[in-house]
Amino acid sequence: LAGHYGLLQHGGVHDKSGKFCIHCDETSQSKKEGKFVFLTNTKQGESISLRQFCHRYKLEPANIRMLNDLVHTLCRHGDVEMVDESSSSSDCGQDFDQVFNKYMQTQNQQELKQCFENPDKPIPPGVILPCLRYCEIARSCSKLKDVDFPVLHFLYCALHLRLRFVNLLVNYVFEVAANQRKVSAVNKLLQDFRVNLELKNKDQQRQLSGKMCKRFLHCFPHIIDLLIPEEERRQEWRVAMQEWKHVIDILSCQYYDKISKSDAEELPTKIRSFCVKMLNLIPDAKRLQSFYFHSLLVGHIGDQFKYMYEEFGIPLGLMSLSAIEKRHECVGRRCYKKAVPEINSFMSGNSQSALEPDGPKDAMASRSFYTLMNLVLQTFNPEFYDPDSDDPDSEA
């Protein structure tokens, strides 16, 4: 991903426009602030039920109730940082303080309660309700536009999505265990499930491989039982993880006929419904700042899945183990070794290449950039490696 950022000069921390997302205008600053929720109301003269409202934003009525409870909980703790003030003001046409005060009033909450109980009845005029942010895939990239390549075709990898989500859970587990002084007990559980990880300190790198991620997920319910004392909260985690399994199984599936039409149609909503549950379970913006979680929450991954599935009959999971992934597996190490002289020249300031990473010198970015560049060049040079060789380092 860092290599693509550098190659396209689009997205990531070095994007000149400050926008970190490949697919929308989300900035690095707004990502850090974690403005996941906004307040809105029905437009004047509009007759719409809560269910229809949810369909518009790819949510379920129960999600709006959960977001309402979440905002009240945050308010009681004096922290409503998850609420996007500017979007709320522009959507309701009033100053944010006025919007928020009206939203919290007893009358507004009573009308909201009636909407929750009767989601098919029209929402009363002027009722303010919380909603999860949604962003269409609309950002353009000049380098992709030059070759007539829509940004919508810049695909998400379900494999990396799974890995990054598990790492998010690992970091959450460490913080909770450390606060409760139960790190050693968690490490014992990880050992029992043969997870090759020992939680040690706050700044520790905790990246798990695919096999270790599967083992961690098998262990996770036991970790929740250890760290979460309330049975109701444990049950909420169980429901959320069941939804995650359903979502990631469909996103990883490589066969069109194995995904039912109803599952395909409902997936964008299921993804955002799952994200609402995660906000409720981990109401801390700094723990939810990953690129992949952003892409799940604002609807990018669900929209891309729906587009690929309906337009081309291609499940998104097929692209995760496509020829591109196989190419990385077969020749990635060789491309990296070939890139070492170029990396050294760039980092020493002696590079004379017309192609080099944008922005300040960064060792990790340069490794990704030159390795990816060699992978791309290899695509047009089939003699670069021997496809019948089992050894990616063997000479062609």
Side-chain angles (χ1 to χ4, degrees):
L1 191 60
H4 283 99
Y5 286 153
L7 195 65
L8 299 173
Q9 297 176 18
H10 178 87
V13 294
H14 298 305
D15 189 303
K16 291 180 180 178
S17 67
K19 299 170 184 176
F20 93 99
C21 183
I22 295 171
H23 290 116
C24 74
D25 292 334
E26 180 85 349
T27 65
S28 298
Q29 182 61 33
S30 60
K31 178 177 82 82
K32 290 178 182 177
E33 291 173 352
K35 303 293 187 181
F36 302 126
V37 182
F38 71 100
L39 302 178
T40 186
N41 58 10
T42 55
K43 303 301 176 267
Q44 189 172 7
E46 182 181 36
S47 178
I48 185 173
S49 69
L50 181 62
R51 198 177 303 280
Q52 290 170 325
F53 174 87
C54 289
H55 180 74
R56 177 187 295 173
Y57 288 100
K58 296 180 174 65
L59 291 167
E60 298 170 350
N63 300 148
I64 304 298
R65 182 194 289 265
M66 186 172 286
L67 287 174
N68 191 54
D69 292 341
L70 173 62
V71 173
H72 276 72
T73 301
L74 294 173
C75 188
R76 283 198 298 272
H77 290 87
D79 177 14
V80 289
E81 290 184 357
M82 278 193 186
V83 181
D84 190 332
E85 298 181 9
S86 60
S87 295
S88 302
S89 298
S90 61
D91 221 57
C92 296
Q94 291 179 300
D95 178 75
F96 176 73
D97 289 338
Q98 290 178 305
V99 173
F100 190 77
N101 289 335
K102 184 178 178 182
Y103 162 71
M104 293 294 290
Q105 285 176 2
T106 303
Q107 181 181 349
N108 189 79
Q109 289 301 311
Q110 287 175 344
E111 290 177 329
L112 265 182
K113 185 179 179 182
Q114 291 175 3
C115 291
F116 298 147
E117 293 171 352
N118 303 283
D120 294 310
K121 288 187 176 182
I123 300 172
V127 169
I128 297 176
L129 61 164
C131 189
L132 193 69
R133 286 185 57 222
Y134 174 75
C135 302
E136 292 185 350
I137 296 178
R139 189 180 178 195
S140 62
C141 171
S142 59
K143 292 184 182 295
L144 294 180
K145 193 175 181 180
D146 290 344
V147 293
D148 195 27
F149 189 93
V151 174
L152 184 59
H153 292 182
F154 199 101
L155 298 174
Y156 291 96
C157 175
L159 172 65
H160 290 91
L161 168 63
R162 185 196 301 265
L163 297 177
R164 298 300 177 266
F165 174 70
V166 170
N167 287 329
L168 182 153
L169 291 181
V170 171
N171 292 330
Y172 165 76
V173 164
F174 172 76
E175 289 196 29
V176 176
N179 289 337
Q180 297 183 16
R181 298 184 179 180
K182 292 182 178 179
V183 172
S184 59
V186 171
N187 283 332
K188 176 65 170 58
L189 280 173
L190 294 175
Q191 265 188 348
D192 292 343
F193 282 82
R194 297 183 297 129
V195 180
N196 188 20
L197 171 71
E198 182 181 0
L199 301 178
K200 294 178 180 178
N201 54 62
K202 185 177 180 179
D203 299 322
Q204 173 190 358
Q205 290 295 318
R206 294 182 281 270
Q207 301 287 334
L208 294 178
S209 66
K211 184 186 292 186
M212 292 301 119
C213 282
K214 289 181 180 178
R215 292 179 183 175
F216 178 85
L217 288 176
H218 287 309
C219 180
F220 189 68
H222 300 273
I223 295 175
I224 289 300
D225 288 345
L226 173 69
L227 298 179
I228 308 297
E230 304 89 358
E231 178 56 31
E232 183 179 352
R233 198 67 165 173
R234 292 179 186 174
Q235 183 58 27
E236 289 175 358
W237 268 107
R238 294 183 193 116
V239 171
M241 295 309 294
Q242 286 171 0
E243 280 201 20
W244 166 251
K245 185 179 185 308
H246 174 75
V247 164
I248 198 63
D249 283 352
I250 295 177
L251 289 174
S252 303
C253 182
Q254 300 180 45
Y255 300 97
Y256 181 90
D257 60 299
K258 290 188 177 181
I259 302 174
S260 70
K261 185 178 179 181
S262 61
D263 280 344
E265 290 175 348
E266 294 171 3
L267 186 65
T269 297
K270 291 294 183 185
I271 290 174
R272 282 172 51 81
S273 175
F274 163 74
C275 289
V276 171
K277 291 179 174 63
M278 290 306 298
L279 292 183
N280 180 53
L281 291 166
I282 310 178
D284 187 344
K286 72 176 187 296
R287 295 176 179 170
L288 302 170
Q289 290 183 3
S290 79
F291 168 78
Y292 284 96
F293 187 77
H294 158 80
S295 303
L296 284 169
L297 184 139
V298 300
H300 295 342
I301 293 179
D303 289 350
Q304 192 173 79
F305 169 87
K306 190 170 185 284
Y307 169 75
M308 296 295 293
Y309 185 85
E310 293 181 352
E311 292 292 321
F312 306 105
I314 298 175
L316 200 57
L318 183 63
M319 313 310 291
S320 297
L321 293 175
S322 63
I324 294 175
E325 285 290 336
K326 189 64 177 176
R327 180 189 65 185
H328 282 58
E329 181 183 338
C330 292
V331 298
R333 189 184 304 168
R334 184 178 178 87
C335 285
Y336 171 72
K337 287 184 176 180
K338 186 174 184 294
V340 170
E342 297 166 296
I343 295 167
N344 290 337
S345 295
F346 173 73
M347 292 303 296
S348 65
N350 296 317
S351 174
Q352 298 180 4
S353 172
L355 288 172
E356 58 182 38
D358 192 37
K361 287 183 172 57
D362 181 89
M364 290 300 294
S366 66
R367 291 187 183 107
S368 299
F369 177 89
Y370 285 111
T371 301
L372 180 61
M373 186 174 72
N374 280 316
L375 280 166
V376 173
L377 291 173
Q378 181 274 323
T379 303
F380 302 98
N381 182 11
E383 296 182 357
F384 186 83
Y385 80 108
D386 179 5
D388 297 323
S389 171
D390 292 331
D391 181 7
D393 292 328
S394 65
E395 295 296 329

